[in-house]
Amino acid sequence: MKSSLFKRVLRSKLLPLVAVTVVVVAFFGITTNGFLSASNLRSIMISMCLSGMIGVGMSMLLISGEIDLASGYEACMGGIITALLIKAGIPWPAALLITIAAGAVMGGILAFLVNKVGLMGFISSMAMISVYNGLDYIVTKAQDVTITAEHASFYSLGAGTVGFLPIPFIIMVVLMIIYGLILYKTEFGRTIYMTGGNRAAARLAGVNRKKITSILYINNSAICALAGSLVAARMHCANAAACTSGSIDAITAAVLGGVSFRGGDGNMGCLFIGVALVTFFNSGLTASGLQSYWQIVVQGLLLVVALCIDFVNERSRQKALSQVAI
Amino acid sequence: MKAKLRRMTNSKLFTLTLLLIVIIVIFEILSKGKLLSFKNIRSILQSVSVVTFLAIGCGMLLMSGNTDLSLGGVGTLGPMVLAFCIAAGLPWYVALIIALISCALCGLGNALMVNYLNFPTFIATIAMASISQGIAYLISGGKNIDMKDPTLNFIGTKRLFDFIPYTFIIAMVALVIYAIILRKTKFGRSILLVGGNAEASRLAGLKPKKISFILFVNASCMACLAGSLMCARVKTATTAGLSGSQFTGITAAILGGISFGGGTGGMMGALVGIFILNVFNNAMQLVGLSSYYQTVMSGVLLLVALIYDKIMENNRMHRAITAK
């Protein structure tokens, strides 16, 4: 029993990732001053939140075999809506709820395009990127929408702490746990794996794929909108460029962590490790004083590495399946 | 004769041309005659040339059933290399060849990722987009590079009879060449075959991977030329470059009747699509809408094009089933 558990841990996909994360942290911890200081760790935790929260919705979509590339722009939109509502005098809890509802509407549009019109998720979400990005600039008139100090209670949502842990980090972890449980323990969660793993089989088993993916699209955009408002709370303002890199960061992190790009595999633990790895890596690059342009290159390279890992995983999965079949 | 007329009115090209005319008429009225003024037509022709190259590269890939979302990044890298080499004192043709080679390498990278590592095309090319964009930043140190070369600037800014820009002529020549390749050569026919059914084409003895390699490299080179033409016109290679314009290429191609799933389409349609897109964008400026409205509308146009493509595909499927 004990040895089999040990073997399982050794064989799991997570172990090499945890090891790599430790190496990355150790490397930057030694080479750059103050990388492991409490304040820097806390700021890393906070910067995990955007890609982490978008990653929650995105992972669910990826597992079901869908994708939403406009997530980052939906987050931007969410932040702007919150900031505008608070500016208009609406108390922030209400503003937050309205924002989440608006996010759900954005997801509904995408779900409509994918499931009713029959377009592919990635290209219709790419079209929505232009739409949201343009609207963001029109609504904000290309300026920051500031949240003034009278609404300071809202700030704590973005950067406040409970003990050592920042509040947005706690929100992210809670979301991951909730969605992890949904994926693992509920019938709905299992059908998500099924839709992503084998569409034909899922359909024959009576799974309503359109219904499931619609729910996931709506869910993803709602979480994105929430993530965007948390970023607005941290920066005390919202603008049209705040969260734009969120979707690619989230996809990179999720796939790096082992959420399959082809659907049917992955969990929230994978996502967490992936997000931590990417964030530590980026933060380390910044701390080591490398030109910021390198980060754009590295962002692309990381995505390629993530896809390579996904490719290797997929191959070994196919191998295992064919062995079972024999 | 009647049947021929009927076939013509049923064709995609006819619908698209009609759409183009409707758009022109509407905006001609809205802009109070400014749209079809001498100066404005000239500037539309100017902007058409850049989009034409993007649409050729992208359209050929779409026909074979692939997409390339890195064209914006690659189209920023290419002119940056060009301007860098010219600033270093190389003659323009050597610089252009170096720029084309560096872009071809990006295309090669895309093709490798898609064909040998089985990455989904769109995400592999998104990764390439940020790699090439980042390299463009690194080459220029985040600044714009001036490009002062008499030959290139002549091509970029001068016009035949002070009306038709030379860039437009180059773009049209390229379009005709590609139309001939597509219609008259074995390679061109096989592109459509691969796009229609990759497995069947492989069994018929074609090499889909080889074709995809050629088309990816071709698309990147086309993006490089598009960027270089723009750069020759404004006399600087900017870090913003063509970034984001991969959608312009895709939208123009799909608006022009090249199907998103591959297998159908032609260069004449693409030309109409390019004009629809450019006239529309230009008209929005004339009517006085800010560039942000254009961003929104470019997304909406892409969606409209996709939905139109979907409807046409459904019709095709329907016909195929009823024919049986």
Side-chain angles (χ1 to χ4, degrees):
Chain A
M1 183 66 203
K2 213 174 183 182
S3 78
S4 82
L5 183 73
F6 182 67
K7 259 186 190 164
R8 238 174 51 204
V9 169
L10 261 186
R11 268 202 209 135
S12 86
K13 276 195 303 198
L14 278 181
L15 191 71
L17 278 169
V18 175
V20 171
T21 313
V22 170
V23 170
V24 167
V25 173
F27 175 77
F28 286 118
I30 294 164
T31 53
T32 51
N33 261 336
F35 186 71
L36 290 177
S37 66
S39 68
N40 193 47
L41 278 182
R42 197 176 293 145
S43 82
I44 287 176
M45 276 182 191
I46 292 178
S47 55
M48 273 172 77
C49 294
L50 179 65
S51 48
M53 283 177 66
I54 294 179
V56 171
M58 187 71 85
S59 302
M60 306 282 278
L61 273 176
L62 285 175
I63 292 171
S64 77
E66 301 285 333
I67 197 165
D68 178 3
L69 293 169
S71 299
Y73 294 82
E74 284 158 3
C76 270
M77 194 63 126
I80 291 168
I81 292 173
T82 315
L84 285 175
L85 287 175
I86 290 178
K87 211 176 173 185
I90 294 169
W92 67 262
L96 216 53
L97 283 178
I98 297 173
T99 304
I100 293 172
V105 172
M106 291 191 262
I109 296 172
L110 208 51
F112 174 80
L113 287 173
V114 172
N115 285 329
K116 285 275 182 257
V117 183
L119 300 179
M120 272 190 256
F122 83 92
I123 193 74
S124 36
S125 57
M126 297 224 88
M128 293 316 284
I129 287 181
S130 307
V131 175
Y132 292 141
N133 198 20
L135 281 179
D136 284 344
Y137 279 107
I138 293 169
V139 170
T140 59
K141 300 185 182 71
Q143 274 159 353
D144 287 351
V145 183
T146 44
I147 300 168
T148 46
E150 309 147 36
H151 312 288
S153 57
F154 182 57
Y155 294 168
S156 61
L157 212 57
T161 51
V162 175
F164 177 71
L165 297 172
I167 290 176
F169 182 78
I170 296 171
I171 296 176
M172 180 190 81
V173 172
V174 168
L175 275 178
M176 283 180 179
I177 291 171
I178 293 174
Y179 282 92
L181 286 176
I182 290 177
L183 272 179
Y184 221 65
K185 294 283 177 200
T186 67
E187 195 193 318
F188 178 70
R190 307 310 300 176
T191 50
I192 295 176
Y193 283 104
M194 231 158 104
T195 21
N198 188 335
R199 285 187 182 188
R203 194 174 55 80
L204 292 175
V207 173
N208 187 345
R209 195 180 72 82
K210 288 190 173 179
K211 191 176 144 199
I212 288 173
T213 54
S214 294
I215 294 173
L216 293 181
Y217 271 118
I218 293 169
N219 168 59
N220 174 54
S221 305
I223 297 179
C224 289
L226 176 66
S229 11
L230 293 192
V231 171
R234 166 158 50 101
M235 303 199 313
H236 301 183
C237 71
N239 61 43
C243 319
T244 47
S245 69
S247 20
I248 298 300
D249 286 346
I251 292 172
T252 309
V255 177
L256 203 59
V259 176
S260 167
F261 201 84
R262 291 162 177 82
D265 195 18
N267 58 47
M268 288 297 148
C270 297
L271 173 67
F272 183 80
I273 297 290
V275 173
L277 180 53
V278 171
T279 316
F280 271 116
F281 196 76
N282 279 337
S283 158
L285 280 185
T286 317
S288 61
L290 213 57
Q291 250 181 321
S292 67
Y293 309 123
W294 275 107
Q295 284 195 6
I296 306 175
V297 181
V298 167
Q299 190 189 32
L301 289 177
L302 266 182
L303 188 51
V304 174
V305 170
L307 289 168
C308 283
I309 293 174
D310 187 40
F311 173 67
V312 174
N313 282 336
E314 178 72 20
R315 265 247 291 257
S316 61
R317 200 156 51 224
Q318 295 288 347
K319 223 177 192 171
L321 275 178
S322 65
Q323 271 170 0
V324 168
I326 290 163
Chain B
M1 183 61 200
K2 217 173 181 181
K4 210 173 178 185
L5 200 72
R6 188 120 168 242
R7 227 181 32 230
M8 206 185 88
T9 51
N10 272 345
S11 78
K12 255 184 186 179
L13 198 58
F14 184 79
T15 329
L16 290 166
T17 319
L18 218 60
L19 180 67
L20 178 61
I21 295 171
V22 170
I23 289 176
I24 291 178
V25 170
I26 291 176
F27 279 104
E28 174 72 6
I29 296 167
L30 279 181
S31 67
K32 299 187 186 72
K34 268 189 259 168
L35 182 69
L36 290 181
S37 68
F38 180 75
K39 242 173 123 181
N40 195 51
I41 292 178
R42 212 164 60 178
S43 86
I44 291 179
L45 291 184
Q46 190 82 268
S47 58
V48 159
S49 43
V50 173
V51 181
T52 302
F53 278 102
L54 284 172
I56 291 174
C58 207
M60 299 286 270
L61 262 178
L62 282 175
M63 280 180 226
S64 76
N66 267 324
T67 35
D68 189 343
L69 300 176
S70 72
L71 293 182
V74 175
T76 310
L77 174 64
M80 199 57 92
V81 173
L82 180 73
F84 184 79
C85 289
I86 287 177
L90 291 172
W92 68 271
Y93 45 89
V94 179
L96 189 61
I97 290 170
I98 295 175
L100 280 172
I101 290 174
S102 55
C103 286
L105 285 177
C106 293
L108 207 63
N110 282 332
L112 278 174
M113 288 193 282
V114 171
N115 286 308
Y116 286 101
L117 297 171
N118 286 332
F119 293 175
T121 316
F122 72 95
I123 198 78
T125 49
I126 284 179
M128 184 53 82
S130 66
I131 293 173
S132 51
Q133 181 81 47
I135 295 176
Y137 271 116
L138 286 174
I139 289 175
S140 72
K143 289 190 277 291
N144 298 341
I145 303 181
D146 285 344
M147 194 188 72
K148 297 253 182 312
D149 180 83
T151 324
L152 288 180
N153 290 347
F154 177 81
I155 294 172
T157 52
K158 291 289 181 281
R159 307 179 188 92
L160 189 66
F161 310 130
D162 199 31
F163 181 62
I164 306 170
Y166 285 117
T167 50
F168 181 73
I169 297 173
I170 296 174
M172 288 308 116
V173 170
L175 196 83
V176 170
I177 292 174
Y178 275 89
I180 293 172
I181 291 177
L182 209 59
R183 285 269 166 261
K184 300 286 176 200
T185 68
K186 197 180 144 201
F187 176 70
R189 313 293 300 177
S190 56
I191 292 173
L192 289 169
L193 206 64
V194 169
N197 190 335
E199 187 56 25
S201 70
R202 198 180 59 77
L203 293 174
L206 295 172
K207 294 195 177 75
K209 277 189 183 175
K210 192 177 138 201
I211 290 173
S212 135
F213 262 90
I214 295 174
L215 291 181
F216 267 115
V217 171
N218 172 58
S220 294
C221 290
M222 286 290 137
C224 176
L225 288 178
S228 305
L229 283 189
M230 196 171 86
C231 163
R233 187 171 84 218
V234 298
K235 296 177 187 164
T236 32
T238 57
T239 46
L242 282 184
S243 49
S245 58
Q246 63 270 36
F247 302 120
T248 324
I250 294 179
T251 312
I254 300 178
L255 268 181
I258 294 174
S259 79
F260 190 69
T264 57
M267 282 300 151
M268 281 323 287
L271 183 63
V272 180
I274 294 162
F275 268 98
I276 293 179
L277 193 68
N278 277 298
V279 169
F280 200 78
N281 277 341
N282 179 285
M284 298 218 343
Q285 266 171 357
L286 284 184
V287 178
L289 293 172
S290 73
S291 66
Y292 304 126
Y293 285 95
Q294 281 182 46
T295 317
V296 177
M297 283 318 291
S298 69
V300 173
L301 262 185
L302 179 55
L303 278 180
V304 169
L306 285 167
I307 292 169
Y308 172 69
D309 176 47
K310 192 80 202 167
I311 294 169
M312 290 307 262
E313 193 193 300
N314 286 348
N315 282 348
R316 208 158 50 228
M317 296 291 243
H318 186 71
R319 268 207 302 278
I321 291 166
T322 45
K324 265 177 199 163

